[in-house]
Amino acid sequence: MAGPNLKTPPNYAGPEFEIIREGLRRGYHEDDQQVIKRLLAAWQADRTNRITAWNVQKGIEARAAEEADQARRLREEEEEMLANEEAERELRETEKKKPKMNTFTPGASVADILVHPPSQFALQKLSTFDYVELWYFSLAGRLDAAKHHDRSQADDTFGISKVDDHLTIRSIASVRASCNALPDHELSFSKFLKAKNCFLEHTKKANWPASNLDALAKFFWFLETHPSLQLPLGEKIILTYTSRVRHDWHRELKAGRGYDISIINNHLLNMVTQDIEGHDNDRIKSKASNPNKPTHDF
């Protein structure tokens, strides 16, 4: 639409304006030229007002267009910034998932003695605060883990494990128990003592609560020095008590009914003693009456 400043004035001297000129001549008592000038002046004043209004409107439209364009640019910049942040976040997540090789301590050398670590299965049990046999921390258990280490390293198979009522997918090596594992009460007492030291060391690395670690250390110490060891079947009695109580302790902790394992329950220990001695007496009687029949220890 053309602006008012481009319009030309009408020809007020023409015959189509005669009636208007006649009315003005009579009204203002002016001649024809004076009336035409009056008409042109009125038209020019109106033109000036129209040009002013036109310019104001165009200014408003220009500012609105500029504001809209600025809002569009800001929106595009914000969208671009968000897209860049998302891309950077995805890149960081991708970098986190990439395997990374740890660095080493300058000047540090390999240890004098290389100690085989426990199996992934045993360490996984510690990480979830579950019961695991001390055998896994004995020399036999660690050698068994080393024997199967290369096989598990090449095995990418995964299995399903249940942790606190939740099913999780883990490598088979971390959920598969060793077929050679022995319960605590079947260890020799000397192997038990060495295994519990390794066990306590790895429970610290697994970030068990300090109070639980202290209670376990006292538990083992009290049993290691308990007077019951002076009995003929003392070692088997202590190992059996250890096995049963550690099982129960973990079960009760999971159920929210934990207790101080370091407090030796003499009544329970006496029951274990009677059970072991009774079983041994039965074994001796059975052997005496049937010398050719094989017997099995508890």
Side-chain angles (χ1 to χ4, degrees), residues 48-215:
T48 300
N49 290 337
R50 286 177 178 273
I51 290 173
T52 300
W54 169 272
N55 291 335
V56 170
Q57 179 61 32
K58 286 300 177 182
I60 293 173
E61 292 175 357
R63 286 193 296 274
E66 183 180 357
E67 290 175 357
D69 187 58
Q70 183 178 8
R72 178 187 57 78
R73 288 197 305 270
L74 289 175
R75 185 172 61 255
E76 290 176 351
E77 290 174 359
E78 183 177 1
E79 291 174 353
E80 182 180 3
M81 181 181 67
L82 292 175
N84 291 337
E85 289 178 353
E86 179 64 18
E88 291 177 0
R89 186 190 67 78
E90 291 178 356
L91 180 61
R92 287 194 300 270
E93 291 298 321
T94 302
E95 289 295 325
K96 286 181 182 178
K97 295 177 181 178
K98 287 183 179 179
K100 292 181 175 60
M101 185 177 187
N102 292 332
T103 58
F104 59 89
T105 303
S109 67
V110 64
D112 295 336
I113 300 175
L114 298 180
V115 178
H116 296 293
S119 67
Q120 292 184 43
F121 170 79
L123 297 179
Q124 177 60 34
K125 286 290 186 180
L126 293 187
S127 70
T128 53
F129 313 115
D130 287 312
Y131 171 83
V132 61
E133 291 83 355
L134 292 176
W135 175 87
Y136 286 97
F137 303 90
S138 67
L139 178 59
R142 288 182 282 116
L143 288 176
D144 181 79
K147 178 181 177 182
H148 296 88
H149 177 72
D150 293 337
R151 186 185 307 168
S152 63
Q153 285 292 90
D155 188 0
D156 293 332
T157 306
F158 289 85
I160 298 177
S161 174
K162 186 176 182 182
V163 179
D164 293 335
D165 295 328
H166 297 286
L167 296 179
T168 59
I169 298 177
R170 302 184 185 278
S171 66
I172 287 293
S174 66
V175 298
R176 183 170 53 195
S178 172
C179 61
N180 299 316
L182 297 175
D184 292 355
H185 61 269
E186 291 187 14
L187 295 175
S188 69
F189 200 72
S190 60
K191 290 180 180 178
F192 160 75
L193 294 179
K194 294 177 182 178
K196 62 90 176 174
N197 290 335
C198 181
F199 168 77
L200 289 174
E201 178 183 347
H202 281 86
T203 54
K204 292 179 183 178
K205 294 179 181 179
N207 295 320
W208 284 25
S211 58
N212 292 21
L213 292 175
D214 290 341

Side-chain angles (χ1 to χ4, degrees), residues 21-22 38 93 99 103-104 208 210 231 233 238 254 281:
R21 291 198 304 273
E22 178 64 24
R38 182 179 292 280
E93 291 298 321
T103 58
F104 59 89
W208 284 25
L231 297 173
L233 298 173
I238 292 299
K254 289 284 185 179
N281 289 334

